[in-house]
Amino acid sequence: MASPELSQFRRIVVKVGSALLVDSDKGEVRASWLAALADDMAKLHREGRDVLVVSSGSIALGRSRLKLPRGPLKLEESQAAAAVGQIALARIWSEVLGAHGIGAGQILVTLQDTEERRRYLNARSTIGKLLEWRAIPVINENDTVATNEIRYGDNDRLAARVATMASADLLVLLSDIDGLYDAPPKNNPNAKLIPVVDSISSEIEAVAGDAESELSRGGMRTKVEAAKIATTGGTHMLIASGKIEHPLQAIADGGRCTWFLTPANPITSRKRWIAGSLEPKGTLTIDAGAVAALRAGASLLPAGVIKVEGQFARGDAVIVRGPDTSEVGRGLIAYDADDAERIKGRSSPDVMAILGISGRSEMIHRDDLVVGG
């Protein structure tokens, strides 16, 4: 199967690991490499694409700033190192992107932020707003509060979760190797690169190896697991070398990499999840005008809602019914049941006056809504 091209994608998540970002001998960021990567990102940004970064490096930078010895750290030591390193990491990304006139927005997440619907919706909304403002979200696991029991453990899977949460159509994992091989290339000089994986079979899983770098928590095995998450969510993924300068440009020029393909797209996969996998917690009845608007592709506004039933929280799935009680669709509600009741039938400018806060203008955003036939 032919490989896709970078130019085909509109929303791209780039994962950068500690081993690429930080020189382990010097304990400092590889400044020239990062500047070259920022050049690549800026080019994509100028072309009108959305770019997101999932960046490791806070613990590694913290270790350097605190002059901690090599070797494993206890949990509380890792958390404290991350607290110091995160400040440095945020400043570094802000500076390299700012050199191109691009704002950077820092987002720290934990496992629950992508597992619990309420937190998921909050994180997704924040990412969406930053992209709307043409900033680049820089996302990392919140190592200062995450414990071994509630963490991802590697940023490959975190990046895959972020990619599906942000409805990205491509996830790029920059690695110390240029793709997936049919055997470990360090041990087998005859190992061959697998350029395209159209489905993740047991054979593909069998060729994945483990981490080799002290700074890296993930190896090829976690990258294949990330590919499962991404492709199931409708996001293509690729593994490419991050050891070269301008790694994204190299991909655009047809450089060596491994593509993991998905048969779906992020919007249809997400809507399939909303339509069939979530138990509805309530019902909204809407007027005929709102029914017509939804069928035309609009979001559901409070003004079109005439009845609210059920006890639901923000981010829960609800059924949307027309005035004749027939089901129009299902979606993720942007308000708790009590607040939805208070603002039903009201225009969007009234929401702030009623609730005392500047809430979202949509009761259900169209990206969170599945409309039936």
Side-chain angles (χ1 to χ4, degrees), residues 55-116:
S55 175
S56 304
S58 61
I59 295 176
L61 287 171
R63 292 183 71 131
S64 172
R65 299 296 192 272
L66 295 167
K67 296 180 171 56
L68 300 179
R70 286 180 175 270
L73 297 174
K74 297 177 182 178
L75 174 62
E76 63 271 19
E77 292 172 336
S78 293
Q79 291 172 327
V84 173
Q86 195 61 55
I87 295 174
L89 186 65
R91 186 184 70 249
I92 288 162
W93 279 108
S94 178
E95 289 175 352
V96 297
L97 293 173
H100 296 276
I102 302 171
Q106 182 189 57
I107 301 176
L108 300 178
V109 298
T110 60
L111 180 65
Q112 291 99 323
D113 294 324
T114 56
E115 295 289 342
E116 296 178 10

Side-chain angles (χ1 to χ4, degrees), residues 277-338:
S277 303
L278 299 178
E279 178 186 354
K281 302 292 186 181
T283 301
L284 303 181
T285 302
I286 63 176
D287 61 32
V291 172
L294 297 194
R295 296 201 186 283
S299 299
L300 177 61
L301 303 179
V305 179
I306 56 180
K307 187 177 182 181
V308 175
E309 298 174 278
Q311 288 300 315
F312 50 81
R314 180 172 181 266
D316 281 340
V318 297
I319 296 172
V320 180
R321 297 189 183 279
D324 60 355
T325 73
S326 63
E327 182 171 329
V328 176
R330 300 186 178 205
L332 303 183
I333 187 77
Y335 288 93
D336 295 340
D338 291 345

Side-chain angles (χ1 to χ4, degrees), residues 167-191:
S167 296
D169 45 11
L170 177 63
L171 167 62
V172 177
L173 298 186
L174 296 179
S175 178
D176 54 3
I177 191 169
D178 56 6
L180 178 67
Y181 283 75
D182 61 4
K186 286 190 175 180
N187 303 329
N188 187 341
N190 297 317

Side-chain angles (χ1 to χ4, degrees), residues 3-321:
S3 301
E5 296 181 0
L6 196 63
S7 59
Q8 297 173 230
F9 300 96
R10 66 170 186 86
R11 181 167 291 179
I12 301 169
V13 176
V14 181
K15 183 261 179 177
V16 181
S18 294
L20 295 176
L21 189 68
V22 180
D23 185 320
S24 58
D25 293 328
K26 298 179 181 178
E28 294 294 334
V29 167
R30 291 187 167 95
S32 62
W33 178 86
L34 184 57
L37 176 62
D39 287 346
D40 291 353
M41 291 179 176
K43 181 179 179 182
L44 294 172
H45 190 270
R46 287 193 300 271
E47 292 171 352
R49 306 180 200 287
D50 294 335
V51 181
L52 302 86
V53 179
V54 173
S55 175
S56 304
S58 61
I59 295 176
L61 287 171
R63 292 183 71 131
S64 172
R65 299 296 192 272
L66 295 167
K67 296 180 171 56
L68 300 179
R70 286 180 175 270
L73 297 174
K74 297 177 182 178
L75 174 62
E76 63 271 19
E77 292 172 336
S78 293
Q79 291 172 327
V84 173
Q86 195 61 55
I87 295 174
L89 186 65
R91 186 184 70 249
I92 288 162
W93 279 108
S94 178
E95 289 175 352
V96 297
L97 293 173
H100 296 276
I102 302 171
Q106 182 189 57
I107 301 176
L108 300 178
V109 298
T110 60
L111 180 65
Q112 291 99 323
D113 294 324
T114 56
E115 295 289 342
E116 296 178 10
R117 286 196 300 275
R118 190 182 183 96
R119 294 187 181 188
Y120 175 100
L121 202 59
N122 280 329
R124 186 171 180 273
S125 296
T126 301
I127 290 171
K129 184 55 67 173
L130 286 170
L131 294 174
E132 180 185 324
W133 289 341
R134 300 300 293 151
I136 291 183
V138 179
I139 302 154
N140 191 11
E141 183 162 17
N142 194 346
D143 290 307
T144 60
V145 299
T147 65
N148 289 333
E149 293 77 20
I150 62 169
R151 68 179 304 115
Y152 285 93
D154 67 88
N155 272 3
D156 293 328
R157 282 173 288 201
L158 170 61
R161 292 286 189 187
V162 167
T164 58
M165 179 170 64
S167 296
D169 45 11
L170 177 63
L171 167 62
V172 177
L173 298 186
L174 296 179
S175 178
D176 54 3
I177 191 169
D178 56 6
L180 178 67
Y181 283 75
D182 61 4
K186 286 190 175 180
N187 303 329
N188 187 341
N190 297 317
K192 296 180 180 179
L193 179 76
I194 303 172
V196 178
V197 176
D198 53 14
S199 65
I200 301 172
S201 62
S202 56
E203 289 78 13
I204 291 297
E205 292 181 293
V207 301
D210 293 318
E212 297 181 3
S213 166
E214 177 187 336
L215 291 180
S216 176
R217 281 182 261 170
M220 193 58 68
R221 188 183 306 277
T222 67
K223 288 173 173 54
V224 171
E225 291 173 358
K228 286 184 185 177
I229 295 169
T231 56
T232 299
T235 300
H236 292 286
M237 193 188 95
L238 70 83
I239 301 170
S241 175
K243 286 190 168 182
I244 59 175
E245 290 204 347
H246 297 286
L248 298 181
Q249 185 59 51
I251 295 168
D253 292 339
R256 289 167 63 85
C257 62
T258 296
W259 288 88
F260 293 82
L261 306 183
T262 177
N265 68 62
I267 297 298
T268 57
S269 293
R270 173 178 170 76
K271 293 197 173 186
R272 192 180 303 120
W273 170 66
I274 293 171
S277 303
L278 299 178
E279 178 186 354
K281 302 292 186 181
T283 301
L284 303 181
T285 302
I286 63 176
D287 61 32
V291 172
L294 297 194
R295 296 201 186 283
S299 299
L300 177 61
L301 303 179
V305 179
I306 56 180
K307 187 177 182 181
V308 175
E309 298 174 278
Q311 288 300 315
F312 50 81
R314 180 172 181 266
D316 281 340
V318 297
I319 296 172
V320 180
R321 297 189 183 279

